[in-house]
């Protein structure tokens, strides 16, 4: 189940959400991991320097979200690496159903149409702000998560992001 509807006070996002971990024995993990794994392999073919610099990892936690009807959606343009989450390097999203309303990346002039299994990977930085296409029509299910940068040296950081269960630091 997807828990209770989450309502963001500043009306950025309204949806049902559940956070999962790839380490849990949950059937959907295998499917989502397969899509993300295939997606990052293709992404690294286009951006080969990511294969050389392997100071980044897949976050072990990710979210499953359900957007149901016109009252729900991610309404505000946002990026994935900001303020509280400075270590995110790439974001990913897997569409879990065919849906009518997708995701808009206005600065890239791209709107992604949801098709089951379609996996989208993009830089988490300010260069790729995005939002859900609203008003949302029908039901849209997505899995979404991040690849994060592992800081080196002596970071002023306790090893845990507020939203990611990072358990290793390269020193």
């Amino acid at each position: 189940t997807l828990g209770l509807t989450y309502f963001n006070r500043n009306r950025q996002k309204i949806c049902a959400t559940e956070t999962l971990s790839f380490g849990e024995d949950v059937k959907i993990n295998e499917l989502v991991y397969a899509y993300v794994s295939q997606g990052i392999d293709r992404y690294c073919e286009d951006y080969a320097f990511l294969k050389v610099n392997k100071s980044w990892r897949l976050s072990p936690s990710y979210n499953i979200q359900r957007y149901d009807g016109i009252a729900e959606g991610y309404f505000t343009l946002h990026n994935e690496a900001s303020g509280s989450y400075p270590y995110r390097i790439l974001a990913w999203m897997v569409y879990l159903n065919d849906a009518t309303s997708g995701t808009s990346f206005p600065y890239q002039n791209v709107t992604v149409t949801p098709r089951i299994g379609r996996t989208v990977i993009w830089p988490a930085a300010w260069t790729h702000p995005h939002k859900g296409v609203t008003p949302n029509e029908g039901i849209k299910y997505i899995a979404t998560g991040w690849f994060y940068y592992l800081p080196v040296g002596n970071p002023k950081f306790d090893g845990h992001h507020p939203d990611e269960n990072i358990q290793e630091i390269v020193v």
Side-chain angles (χ1 to χ4, degrees), residues 10-159:
N10 57 5
R11 193 160 164 74
Q12 287 186 347
K13 175 171 70 171
I14 301 173
C15 69
T17 188
E18 185 170 329
T19 300
L20 299 175
S21 172
F22 286 116
E24 296 173 325
D25 186 19
V26 179
K27 189 172 184 170
I28 196 166
N29 280 346
E30 188 176 320
L31 178 69
V32 171
Y33 185 82
Y35 283 127
V36 173
S37 188
Q38 291 168 12
I40 196 63
D41 287 347
R42 286 192 308 271
Y43 195 84
C44 286
E45 287 174 14
D46 291 340
Y47 302 98
F49 66 90
L50 288 171
K51 293 178 187 177
V52 175
N53 178 359
K54 286 298 282 181
S55 60
W56 53 275
R57 302 284 185 274
L58 175 64
S59 174
S61 61
Y62 69 97
N63 295 321
I64 298 283
Q65 297 172 334
R66 182 189 74 219
Y67 296 91
D68 189 3
I70 62 172
E72 295 188 5
Y74 207 126
F75 302 100
T76 304
L77 205 57
H78 65 285
N79 64 289
E80 301 298 324
S82 60
S84 300
Y85 313 111
Y87 298 101
R88 292 176 177 174
I89 186 171
L90 297 171
W92 59 264
M93 178 171 33
V94 177
Y95 292 102
L96 301 175
N97 69 322
D98 293 344
T100 302
S101 298
T103 307
S104 172
F105 292 84
Y107 290 95
Q108 285 68 38
N109 198 28
V110 170
T111 298
V112 181
T113 302
R115 294 292 173 253
I116 191 166
R118 180 168 283 164
T119 303
V120 184
I121 298 175
W122 67 93
W126 59 270
T127 57
H128 286 71
H130 56 284
K131 69 182 208 66
V133 173
T134 55
N136 183 53
E137 296 179 32
I139 296 175
K140 176 172 66 175
Y141 287 96
I142 63 170
T144 186
W146 309 272
F147 289 89
Y148 62 90
Y149 173 74
L150 292 167
V152 296
N154 187 16
K156 295 179 170 88
F157 165 68
D158 71 358

